[in-house]
Amino acid sequence: MHFTFHLPTKIFFGTDCIANNSAEFALQGKRPLIVTGRTSAKASGALTDIETALKQSGLQWTVFDSIEENPSFATVEAGGQVARSFGADMIIGVGGGSPLDAAKAIAVLATSPVRAQQLFDGGFPAQPLPVIAVPLTAGTGSEVTQYSILTDTERQTKRSFAHRDIFPKAAFLDARYTQTLSQQITISTAIDALSHAIEGFLSKRSTLMSDLMACEAIGHFRGMFANLERNQLTLADREKLLYASLLGGVVIAQTGTTMIHSLGYSLTYFRNIPHGRANGLLLAEALRFMQPAVPEKIDAILHTLGLPDITALKVTLERLLGEEHPWSHDELESFSAIALQAANIANTPKIPSGDDLKRVLAESTAQN
Ligand code: ZN
């Protein structure tokens, strides 16, 4: 048995975790730049909690709240400029996956103003600023990963860069912040978390330790599907989802994602399908494709979810996510060609050909 398990993020979990650990911010810097989207940081109450903590420590901060869904390089480049002109020495990312991933990129660009392709290649000369992450959705797990996923307009896809120096130094997870999310966003982000746990469990790079966390995360979805569908989530349910999302992030930080994320990026880029929903639409048919390579693991996933077979998973996900109209011939060709170029496809336990990807895509919109 041999493996590497790297998790350098300090995790604070639970109601009022920011207020109860407010001194943590001053340990990372004196002039934070808060990176967030237009509304959720305020609506959730997270921004007030953070600003109260910063005030208590006597820190000076500024807010960059221009992060859009699926952020572009131009946005993070602008954030890097704001960080430099303010003299920021740390970045606080607040939001769903987009602001958290943007915060990591801004942390790099603040000290290394490189061009887009150099950033995507993971090459930058200076040490990035430290990042503190406050997730406002239960899905991305970005608060505990070394990944930043941005939109690469040149290659027409979402693209990630990974670097051990962009792991957040600390993460604050308070499920109350997810209570203001719409049902649609709650579902989409929850299915992203499920997808991380499942893909991490199936990844060629999975280890005994990551499997332990992946199975724990998957187990929290047993019985949760019905609550999500009825839109009846208690704070305890939301804590479970946030915990599952955290575990999913820890898992993919070790294992990477697989063909599901590789294909899902095109559904988001070209069809504007939210990231989690994109993965969820592909999940069942991708499992069917991988099943011959990892039958015991697929059985374990279904057993943990309390579902009899892959078709039952597909039905469950369709009820939560709704169906999507079929992809055109050209979409099948281009989405599969783009996925074949994605780095994470190599983690898939059975490497798909272009035709395999087209089949998975085509079946993913068919009735179960
Ligand atoms: Zn994801």
Side-chain angles (χ1 to χ4, degrees), residues 244-259:
S245 160
L246 167 73
L247 291 174
V250 174
V251 169
I252 60 167
Q254 319 304 318
T255 66
T257 54
T258 67
M259 64 183 281

Side-chain angles (χ1 to χ4, degrees), residues 238-368:
R238 289 194 177 274
E239 279 204 318
K240 277 188 195 171
L241 286 173
L242 192 60
Y243 180 51
S245 160
L246 167 73
L247 291 174
V250 174
V251 169
I252 60 167
Q254 319 304 318
T255 66
T257 54
T258 67
M259 64 183 281
I260 298 170
H261 269 66
S262 314
L263 276 174
Y265 291 153
S266 282
L267 308 195
T268 300
Y269 188 91
F270 293 104
R271 284 263 190 123
N272 212 20
I273 296 174
H275 172 65
R277 181 165 184 263
N279 296 329
L281 291 169
L282 298 164
L283 193 54
E285 291 303 330
L287 293 192
R288 228 189 282 282
F289 167 76
M290 291 184 249
Q291 191 166 32
V294 278
E296 295 88 2
K297 282 202 158 181
I298 303 276
D299 283 352
I301 291 166
L302 294 168
H303 179 75
T304 306
L305 289 172
L307 294 169
D309 52 30
I310 290 175
T311 301
L313 176 64
K314 190 171 181 182
V315 172
T316 302
L317 290 172
E318 277 176 3
R319 281 171 57 170
L320 282 172
L321 300 168
E323 286 175 35
E324 189 62 26
H325 60 88
W327 329 111
S328 69
H329 176 75
D330 286 352
E331 283 177 320
L332 289 178
E333 292 289 340
S334 66
F335 295 177
S336 53
I338 288 169
L340 283 175
Q341 301 299 316
N344 50 1
I345 203 162
N347 300 325
T348 311
K350 178 182 167 194
I351 301 296
S353 65
D355 283 342
D356 293 329
L357 292 175
K358 279 187 260 179
R359 207 171 311 117
V360 166
L361 272 169
E363 289 296 321
S364 292
T365 59
Q367 291 283 343
N368 52 76

Side-chain angles (χ1 to χ4, degrees), residues 114-260:
V114 295
R115 301 300 309 151
Q117 293 312 317
Q118 200 179 337
L119 180 72
F120 288 127
D121 292 340
F124 35 85
Q127 183 75 15
L129 297 182
V131 174
I132 288 183
V134 183
L136 304 183
T137 62
T140 164
S142 179
E143 66 275 11
V144 285
T145 73
Q146 72 280 45
Y147 306 125
S148 169
I149 296 153
L150 304 169
T151 298
D152 184 354
T153 43
E154 209 169 283
R155 292 206 190 176
Q156 294 196 311
T157 185
K158 291 178 74 171
R159 209 167 149 211
S160 66
F161 74 95
H163 199 284
R164 61 186 298 147
D165 291 342
I166 61 168
F167 267 109
K169 302 289 182 211
F172 291 93
L173 297 95
D174 187 332
R176 290 176 310 152
Y177 301 147
T178 68
Q179 286 179 303
T180 43
L181 297 174
S182 69
Q183 183 187 16
Q184 204 187 5
I185 292 178
T186 301
I187 290 174
S188 175
T189 48
I191 300 306
D192 189 33
L194 174 65
S195 200
H196 293 161
I198 290 179
E199 289 178 67
F201 184 55
L202 299 176
S203 167
K204 274 184 180 169
R205 290 160 54 199
S206 72
T207 68
L208 286 175
M209 247 182 106
S210 66
D211 284 356
L212 189 71
M213 295 192 190
C215 289
E216 168 74 10
I218 294 166
H220 286 292
F221 285 87
R222 189 182 183 126
M224 193 63 79
F225 293 128
N227 297 351
L228 283 167
E229 196 179 340
R230 284 197 300 269
N231 199 21
Q232 288 178 346
L233 295 180
T234 62
L235 184 58
D237 288 333
R238 289 194 177 274
E239 279 204 318
K240 277 188 195 171
L241 286 173
L242 192 60
Y243 180 51
S245 160
L246 167 73
L247 291 174
V250 174
V251 169
I252 60 167
Q254 319 304 318
T255 66
T257 54
T258 67
M259 64 183 281
I260 298 170

